[in-house]
Amino acid sequence: AQSVSQHNHHVILSEAASLELGCNYSYGGTVNLFWYVQYPGQHLQLLLKYFSGDPLVKGIKGFEAEFIKSKFSFNLRKPSVQWSDTAEYFCAVNALRSASKIIFGSGTRLSIRP
Amino acid sequence: DTEVTQTPKHLVMGMTNKKSLKCEQHMGHRAMYWYKQKAKKPPELMFVYSYEKLSINESVPSRFSPECPNSSLLNLHLHALQPEDSALYLCASSQGTSGNLYNEQFFGPGTRLTVL
Protein backbone atom coordinates (compact mmCIF):
# COMPACT_ATOMS: atom_id res chain seq x y z
CA ALA A 1 0.00 0.00 0.00
CA GLN A 2 1.06 3.55 -0.61
CA SER A 3 2.24 5.65 2.28
CA VAL A 4 3.75 9.09 2.75
CA SER A 5 6.10 9.98 5.59
CA GLN A 6 6.85 13.43 6.88
CA HIS A 7 9.40 12.98 9.60
CA ASN A 8 9.37 16.54 10.92
CA HIS A 9 6.21 17.01 12.95
CA HIS A 10 6.99 20.53 14.17
CA VAL A 11 9.70 22.82 12.86
CA ILE A 12 10.53 26.13 14.50
CA LEU A 13 12.68 28.65 12.64
CA SER A 14 13.61 32.29 12.84
CA GLU A 15 12.78 34.65 10.01
CA ALA A 16 15.28 34.55 7.13
CA ALA A 17 16.37 31.00 8.01
CA SER A 18 16.43 28.39 5.29
CA LEU A 19 13.79 25.68 5.28
CA GLU A 20 13.80 22.06 4.22
CA LEU A 21 10.88 19.76 5.00
CA GLY A 22 11.31 16.08 4.30
CA CYS A 23 8.84 13.87 2.45
CA ASN A 24 9.31 10.22 1.54
CA TYR A 25 6.81 7.94 -0.10
CA SER A 26 6.52 4.25 -0.67
CA TYR A 27 5.31 3.23 -4.10
CA GLY A 28 7.34 1.71 -6.88
CA GLY A 29 5.36 2.98 -9.86
CA THR A 30 4.76 6.33 -11.49
CA VAL A 31 3.56 9.00 -9.11
CA ASN A 32 2.34 12.56 -9.05
CA LEU A 33 3.65 14.52 -6.07
CA PHE A 34 2.25 17.56 -4.30
CA TRP A 35 2.90 19.92 -1.45
CA TYR A 36 -0.14 21.59 0.06
CA VAL A 37 -0.16 24.35 2.66
CA GLN A 38 -2.86 25.15 5.19
CA TYR A 39 -2.51 28.56 6.83
CA PRO A 40 -4.21 28.97 10.22
CA GLY A 41 -7.96 29.00 9.73
CA GLN A 42 -7.70 28.69 5.97
CA HIS A 43 -8.22 25.93 3.45
CA LEU A 44 -5.72 23.73 1.72
CA GLN A 45 -3.79 25.43 -1.06
CA LEU A 46 -1.48 23.85 -3.57
CA LEU A 47 2.11 25.06 -3.19
CA LEU A 48 3.61 23.06 -6.02
CA LYS A 49 3.31 19.82 -7.91
CA TYR A 50 5.43 17.37 -9.85
CA PHE A 51 3.99 15.35 -12.71
CA SER A 52 6.95 14.76 -15.02
CA GLY A 53 10.00 16.46 -16.50
CA ASP A 54 12.43 18.62 -14.54
CA PRO A 55 12.64 17.11 -11.04
CA LEU A 56 13.21 20.55 -9.53
CA VAL A 57 9.85 22.27 -9.40
CA LYS A 58 9.12 25.80 -8.37
CA GLY A 59 5.92 26.79 -6.66
CA ILE A 60 4.26 29.85 -5.25
CA LYS A 61 5.71 32.14 -2.58
CA GLY A 62 9.31 31.17 -3.28
CA PHE A 63 8.95 27.48 -2.47
CA GLU A 64 10.59 24.74 -4.48
CA ALA A 65 10.83 20.98 -4.22
CA GLU A 66 13.10 18.34 -5.68
CA PHE A 67 11.94 14.91 -6.75
CA ILE A 68 14.66 12.31 -6.24
CA LYS A 69 13.26 9.09 -7.64
CA SER A 70 16.04 6.88 -6.30
CA LYS A 71 15.35 8.08 -2.78
CA PHE A 72 11.55 8.17 -3.12
CA SER A 73 11.73 11.70 -1.80
CA PHE A 74 10.14 15.05 -2.57
CA ASN A 75 11.57 17.55 -0.10
CA LEU A 76 10.27 21.09 0.15
CA ARG A 77 12.68 24.01 0.38
CA LYS A 78 12.68 27.75 0.78
CA PRO A 79 15.89 29.78 1.03
CA SER A 80 14.56 32.42 3.44
CA VAL A 81 11.35 32.00 5.40
CA GLN A 82 9.01 34.74 6.55
CA TRP A 83 6.70 34.97 9.52
CA SER A 84 3.77 34.60 7.11
CA ASP A 85 4.99 31.08 6.22
CA THR A 86 3.69 29.85 9.56
CA ALA A 87 1.33 27.05 8.55
CA GLU A 88 0.79 23.30 8.30
CA TYR A 89 2.48 21.70 5.30
CA PHE A 90 1.28 18.44 3.78
CA CYS A 91 3.11 16.30 1.28
CA ALA A 92 0.84 14.17 -0.89
CA VAL A 93 1.27 11.39 -3.42
CA ASN A 94 -1.01 10.15 -6.15
CA ALA A 95 -0.08 6.83 -7.69
CA LEU A 96 -1.21 6.83 -11.28
CA ARG A 97 -2.54 3.29 -10.98
CA SER A 98 -5.02 4.60 -8.41
CA ALA A 99 -5.43 8.05 -9.81
CA SER A 100 -8.44 8.94 -7.70
CA LYS A 101 -6.63 8.63 -4.42
CA ILE A 102 -4.26 11.19 -3.04
CA ILE A 103 -2.47 9.99 0.06
CA PHE A 104 -1.43 12.73 2.45
CA GLY A 105 1.48 12.69 4.84
CA SER A 106 0.81 13.46 8.49
CA GLY A 107 1.84 17.08 8.04
CA THR A 108 4.58 19.34 9.38
CA ARG A 109 3.70 22.34 11.48
CA LEU A 110 6.02 25.24 10.70
CA SER A 111 6.34 28.03 13.25
CA ILE A 112 8.35 31.11 12.36
CA ARG A 113 9.68 33.35 15.12
CA PRO A 114 9.50 37.02 14.09
CA ASP B 1 -13.42 30.35 -12.12
CA THR B 2 -10.96 28.12 -10.25
CA GLU B 3 -12.90 27.90 -7.05
CA VAL B 4 -14.61 25.15 -5.10
CA THR B 5 -17.31 26.54 -2.84
CA GLN B 6 -18.82 24.85 0.18
CA THR B 7 -21.84 25.67 2.30
CA PRO B 8 -22.39 26.11 5.13
CA LYS B 9 -19.08 27.27 6.60
CA HIS B 10 -20.09 26.10 10.07
CA LEU B 11 -22.72 23.60 11.16
CA VAL B 12 -23.78 22.52 14.63
CA MET B 13 -26.15 19.59 14.84
CA GLY B 14 -27.55 17.16 17.35
CA MET B 15 -27.19 13.43 17.07
CA THR B 16 -30.78 13.03 15.89
CA ASN B 17 -30.67 15.77 13.25
CA LYS B 18 -30.53 15.38 9.47
CA LYS B 19 -28.44 17.94 7.63
CA SER B 20 -26.62 18.27 4.32
CA LEU B 21 -23.31 19.74 3.23
CA LYS B 22 -23.05 21.23 -0.25
CA CYS B 23 -20.14 21.62 -2.63
CA GLU B 24 -20.04 23.31 -6.03
CA GLN B 25 -17.44 23.80 -8.76
CA HIS B 26 -17.66 25.37 -12.21
CA MET B 27 -14.31 24.30 -13.61
CA GLY B 28 -15.78 21.52 -15.72
CA HIS B 29 -14.13 18.94 -13.50
CA ARG B 30 -15.56 15.44 -13.72
CA ALA B 31 -14.26 14.09 -10.43
CA MET B 32 -15.34 15.28 -7.01
CA TYR B 33 -14.26 14.19 -3.55
CA TRP B 34 -15.26 14.34 0.11
CA TYR B 35 -12.56 14.37 2.77
CA LYS B 36 -12.72 14.49 6.55
CA GLN B 37 -10.02 16.39 8.45
CA LYS B 38 -9.63 16.26 12.20
CA ALA B 39 -7.61 18.93 13.98
CA LYS B 40 -3.86 18.77 13.31
CA LYS B 41 -4.33 15.71 11.03
CA PRO B 42 -4.18 15.29 7.27
CA PRO B 43 -7.33 15.00 5.19
CA GLU B 44 -8.77 11.48 4.96
CA LEU B 45 -10.57 10.48 1.79
CA MET B 46 -14.21 9.49 2.25
CA PHE B 47 -15.80 9.32 -1.22
CA VAL B 48 -14.91 9.85 -4.86
CA TYR B 49 -17.36 10.57 -7.64
CA SER B 50 -16.27 10.18 -11.22
CA TYR B 51 -18.61 11.35 -13.98
CA GLU B 52 -21.39 11.61 -11.39
CA LYS B 53 -21.02 7.99 -10.30
CA LEU B 54 -19.68 6.89 -6.95
CA SER B 55 -16.34 5.24 -7.65
CA ILE B 56 -14.74 5.03 -4.21
CA ASN B 57 -16.27 4.65 -0.75
CA GLU B 58 -13.53 4.36 1.85
CA SER B 59 -15.64 2.21 4.17
CA VAL B 60 -17.48 5.25 5.45
CA PRO B 61 -20.35 4.59 7.90
CA SER B 62 -23.81 4.76 6.35
CA ARG B 63 -24.74 7.77 8.47
CA PHE B 64 -22.81 9.69 5.78
CA SER B 65 -24.57 9.54 2.43
CA PRO B 66 -23.06 11.26 -0.63
CA GLU B 67 -24.99 12.43 -3.63
CA CYS B 68 -23.90 13.92 -6.94
CA PRO B 69 -26.95 15.52 -8.61
CA ASN B 70 -24.93 16.80 -11.57
CA SER B 71 -21.33 17.34 -12.64
CA SER B 72 -21.02 20.62 -10.71
CA LEU B 73 -22.64 19.68 -7.42
CA LEU B 74 -21.77 17.30 -4.64
CA ASN B 75 -23.77 16.82 -1.45
CA LEU B 76 -23.06 14.97 1.75
CA HIS B 77 -26.18 14.01 3.70
CA LEU B 78 -25.73 13.54 7.41
CA HIS B 79 -27.99 11.57 9.73
CA ALA B 80 -27.62 10.24 13.26
CA LEU B 81 -24.03 11.44 13.59
CA GLN B 82 -21.86 10.90 16.63
CA PRO B 83 -19.79 13.52 18.48
CA GLU B 84 -16.62 11.91 17.13
CA ASP B 85 -17.81 12.86 13.62
CA SER B 86 -17.06 16.49 14.48
CA ALA B 87 -14.41 17.64 12.00
CA LEU B 88 -13.70 19.83 9.00
CA TYR B 89 -15.31 18.31 5.89
CA LEU B 90 -13.51 19.22 2.72
CA CYS B 91 -14.72 18.96 -0.83
CA ALA B 92 -12.33 18.79 -3.75
CA SER B 93 -12.53 18.44 -7.49
CA SER B 94 -10.17 17.43 -10.26
CA GLN B 95 -10.20 17.27 -14.03
CA GLY B 96 -10.64 13.52 -13.99
CA THR B 97 -9.53 10.34 -12.37
CA SER B 98 -7.76 8.68 -15.25
CA GLY B 99 -4.18 7.78 -14.56
CA ASN B 100 -3.15 9.66 -17.70
CA LEU B 101 -4.47 13.01 -16.54
CA TYR B 102 -2.76 15.49 -14.31
CA ASN B 103 -4.81 14.78 -11.25
CA GLU B 104 -4.45 18.02 -9.33
CA GLN B 105 -7.20 18.39 -6.79
CA PHE B 106 -8.65 21.78 -5.94
CA PHE B 107 -9.98 22.07 -2.40
CA GLY B 108 -12.85 24.07 -1.02
CA PRO B 109 -12.66 25.94 2.31
CA GLY B 110 -14.53 23.22 4.16
CA THR B 111 -17.49 22.99 6.48
CA ARG B 112 -16.63 22.87 10.15
CA LEU B 113 -19.10 20.42 11.67
CA THR B 114 -19.80 20.09 15.37
CA VAL B 115 -22.00 17.24 16.58
CA LEU B 116 -23.45 17.70 20.04
Side-chain angles (χ1 to χ4, degrees), chain A residues 2-4 6 12 18 21 26-27 31 33 57 69 71 76-77 88 90 96 101 111:
Chain A
Q2 302 168 52
S3 66
V4 181
Q6 291 181 245
I12 303 173
S18 65
L21 301 182
S26 64
Y27 182 71
V31 293
L33 298 157
V57 292
K69 190 174 180 180
K71 295 185 178 180
L76 181 71
R77 301 195 290 251
E88 190 86 20
F90 294 100
L96 293 195
K101 297 183 68 167
S111 300

Side-chain angles (χ1 to χ4, degrees), chain A residues 44-56:
Chain A
L44 277 169
Q45 300 174 42
L46 183 69
L47 267 182
L48 47 78
K49 61 194 179 215
Y50 172 80
F51 291 139
S52 64
D54 188 345
L56 184 62

Side-chain angles (χ1 to χ4, degrees), chain B residues 34-100:
Chain B
W34 280 115
Y35 289 84
K36 174 181 178 179
Q37 186 179 23
K38 300 283 264 185
K40 302 189 188 303
K41 297 290 186 184
E44 298 175 14
L45 183 66
M46 299 174 72
F47 302 104
V48 180
Y49 271 83
S50 176
Y51 291 85
E52 298 155 54
K53 291 191 184 338
L54 183 65
S55 61
I56 293 179
N57 176 342
E58 289 287 282
S59 303
V60 179
S62 60
R63 56 185 184 269
F64 295 91
S65 174
E67 178 198 18
C68 190
N70 60 55
S71 60
S72 300
L73 293 174
L74 185 67
N75 298 324
L76 185 63
H77 302 299
L78 315 173
H79 174 54
L81 295 194
Q82 304 296 312
E84 59 264 30
D85 295 322
S86 299
L88 182 67
Y89 287 85
L90 297 168
C91 175
S93 71
S94 67
Q95 186 178 354
T97 59
S98 163
N100 293 324

Side-chain angles (χ1 to χ4, degrees), chain A residues 15-52:
Chain A
E15 276 196 310
S18 65
L19 169 72
E20 181 159 2
L21 301 182
C23 173
N24 288 91
Y25 65 93
S26 64
Y27 182 71
T30 304
V31 293
N32 294 333
L33 298 157
F34 309 87
W35 275 98
Y36 284 89
V37 61
Q38 193 167 30
Y39 297 103
Q42 296 192 27
H43 61 284
L44 277 169
Q45 300 174 42
L46 183 69
L47 267 182
L48 47 78
K49 61 194 179 215
Y50 172 80
F51 291 139
S52 64

